């Protein structure tokens, strides 16, 4: 039986190499990279407890919230090394508690909700599971303003949809479907088709629709980068570029996310980064 307190920090952080985007670009100074990795470590630990923990997942998430209380209330030191690292980031970057609570709540939702009827409902879930990370990133760079937050929410929701597209088969075998049910019905796709070895024509049609929607959400990234400066713009450029490069990979696979591992290559992320930067220069900056 796995104990939540025994989840290895290195195993959690190693997952950063499989993300669509650079979690903490080496172009950033060490202290900001450490802060971003601390946020990532918490988010990934939360997801691992909600997705992989073999015991009582709700109890594990309750334990994590108590650890978070220790980070913010200061009455005791957190037990887990990742939360100890987070405590330093919270102190140095003056991070808010609520985004972390939202990430925990998203994983509680995962324990009781396994289907989303509409794309709007899925975006409501993204508001808990993804958007808080973007807000924390803005706080790391001292760039958390209402206008940037709105754009960041769109980008982060887009990145979450990208992950759901890539993980259709994996999610199905976990008993979850993040492709909106009304889209499956309208495009003639049965739920069981999401668990096949290769994508059927209906599955490809559903994936193509969600790819288009994800691109629409990521479009806010050009303006967001234009409204940021220096290191913040570098970090966010990488996030947006990674999401777009991942969607490019899905399109190159002809939307067969079941038979092909659709992950972006580093040189394609770089190419997309140059495109984001160029587009942001053309955006209107206040």
């Amino acid at each position: 039986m796995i104990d939540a307190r025994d989840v290895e920090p290195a195993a959690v952080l190693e997952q950063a190499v499989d993300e669509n985007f650079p979690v903490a670009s080496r172009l950033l100074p060490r202290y900001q990279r450490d802060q971003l990795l601390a946020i990532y470590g918490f988010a990934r630990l939360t997801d691992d407890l909600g997705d992989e923990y073999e015991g009582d997942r709700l109890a594990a998430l309750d334990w994590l919230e108590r650890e978070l209380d220790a980070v913010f209330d200061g009455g005791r030191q957190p037990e887990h090394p990742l939360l100890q690292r987070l405590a330093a980031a919270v102190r140095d970057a003056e991070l808010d508690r609520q985004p972390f609570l939202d990430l925990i709540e998203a994983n509680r939702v995962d324990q009781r909700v396994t289907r989303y009827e509409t794309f709007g409902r899925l975006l409501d879930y993204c508001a808990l599971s993804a958007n808080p990370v973007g807000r924390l990133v803005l706080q790391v760079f001292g760039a958390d303003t209402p206008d940037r937050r709105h754009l960041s929410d769109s980008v982060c929701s887009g990145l979450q949809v990208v992950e759901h597209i890539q993980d259709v088969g994996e999610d199905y075998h976990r008993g979850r479907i993040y492709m909106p049910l009304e889209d499956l019905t309208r495009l003639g796709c049965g739920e069981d088709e999401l668990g096949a070895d290769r994508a059927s024509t209906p599955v490809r049609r559903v994936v193509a629709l969600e790819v288009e929607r994800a691109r629409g959400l990521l479009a806010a990234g050009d303006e967001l980068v234009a409204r940021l400066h220096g290191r913040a713009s570098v970090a966010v450029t990488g996030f947006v570029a990674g999401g777009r490069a991942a969607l490019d990979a899905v399109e190159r696979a002809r939307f067969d996310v079941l038979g092909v591992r659709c992950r972006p290559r580093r040189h394609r992320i770089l190419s997309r980064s140059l495109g984001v930067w160029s587009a942001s220069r053309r955006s209107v900056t206040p």
Side-chain angles (χ1 to χ4, degrees), residues 207-266:
V207 171
L209 173 59
E210 309 315 330
V211 165
E212 181 181 358
R213 286 171 167 166
R215 286 204 187 278
L217 292 166
L218 290 175
D222 296 335
E223 184 175 354
L224 177 58
V225 171
R227 290 172 181 260
L228 294 169
H229 308 284
R231 298 164 182 165
S233 66
V234 171
V236 174
T237 292
F239 300 154
V240 176
R244 289 177 177 170
L247 293 175
D248 293 343
V250 173
E251 291 184 342
R252 284 195 302 274
R254 298 176 62 191
F255 307 107
D256 182 10
V257 293
L258 300 179
V260 181
R261 188 173 186 270
C262 302
R263 301 290 168 179
R265 296 183 181 274
R266 187 169 301 178

Side-chain angles (χ1 to χ4, degrees), residues 7-160:
V7 179
E8 287 293 333
V12 174
L13 293 174
E14 282 173 2
Q15 297 175 73
V17 300
D18 293 324
E19 299 293 342
N20 290 319
F21 48 80
V23 171
S25 171
R26 293 189 179 277
L27 297 176
L28 301 173
R30 181 60 181 267
Y31 77 93
Q32 286 182 328
R33 288 173 56 205
D34 287 347
Q35 291 167 358
L36 292 175
L37 283 171
I39 293 169
Y40 175 80
F42 177 88
R44 181 49 59 192
L45 174 61
T46 307
D47 284 349
D48 285 354
L49 293 179
D51 290 341
E52 308 290 348
Y53 184 55
E54 296 179 1
D56 186 334
R57 293 178 181 176
L58 288 174
L61 293 168
D62 288 345
W63 165 81
L64 184 60
E65 185 168 343
R66 291 193 296 272
E67 284 285 270
L68 187 65
D69 289 341
V71 168
F72 280 91
D73 297 339
R76 64 175 178 86
Q77 184 181 38
E79 299 175 21
H80 199 279
L82 288 176
L83 274 293
Q84 294 169 11
R85 174 184 288 202
L86 181 64
V90 165
R91 180 189 64 246
D92 295 341
E94 299 182 350
L95 303 177
D96 293 339
R97 184 196 299 240
Q98 190 59 48
F100 296 105
L101 290 173
D102 288 344
L103 293 174
I104 295 175
E105 183 59 26
N107 280 270
R108 290 188 176 120
V109 169
D110 279 335
Q111 309 314 308
R112 63 178 187 269
V113 179
T114 60
R115 306 288 192 277
Y116 292 88
E117 185 65 35
T118 67
F119 190 68
R121 292 291 189 187
L122 181 63
L123 290 183
D124 290 341
Y125 168 73
C126 292
L128 292 174
S129 66
N131 299 2
V133 175
R135 296 184 178 204
L136 290 167
V137 169
L138 291 177
Q139 289 176 22
V140 163
F141 294 103
D144 185 20
T145 60
D147 62 315
R148 291 167 177 155
R149 198 177 307 140
H150 175 73
L151 295 167
S152 173
D153 286 350
S154 180
V155 169
C156 289
S157 289
L159 291 173
Q160 180 74 87

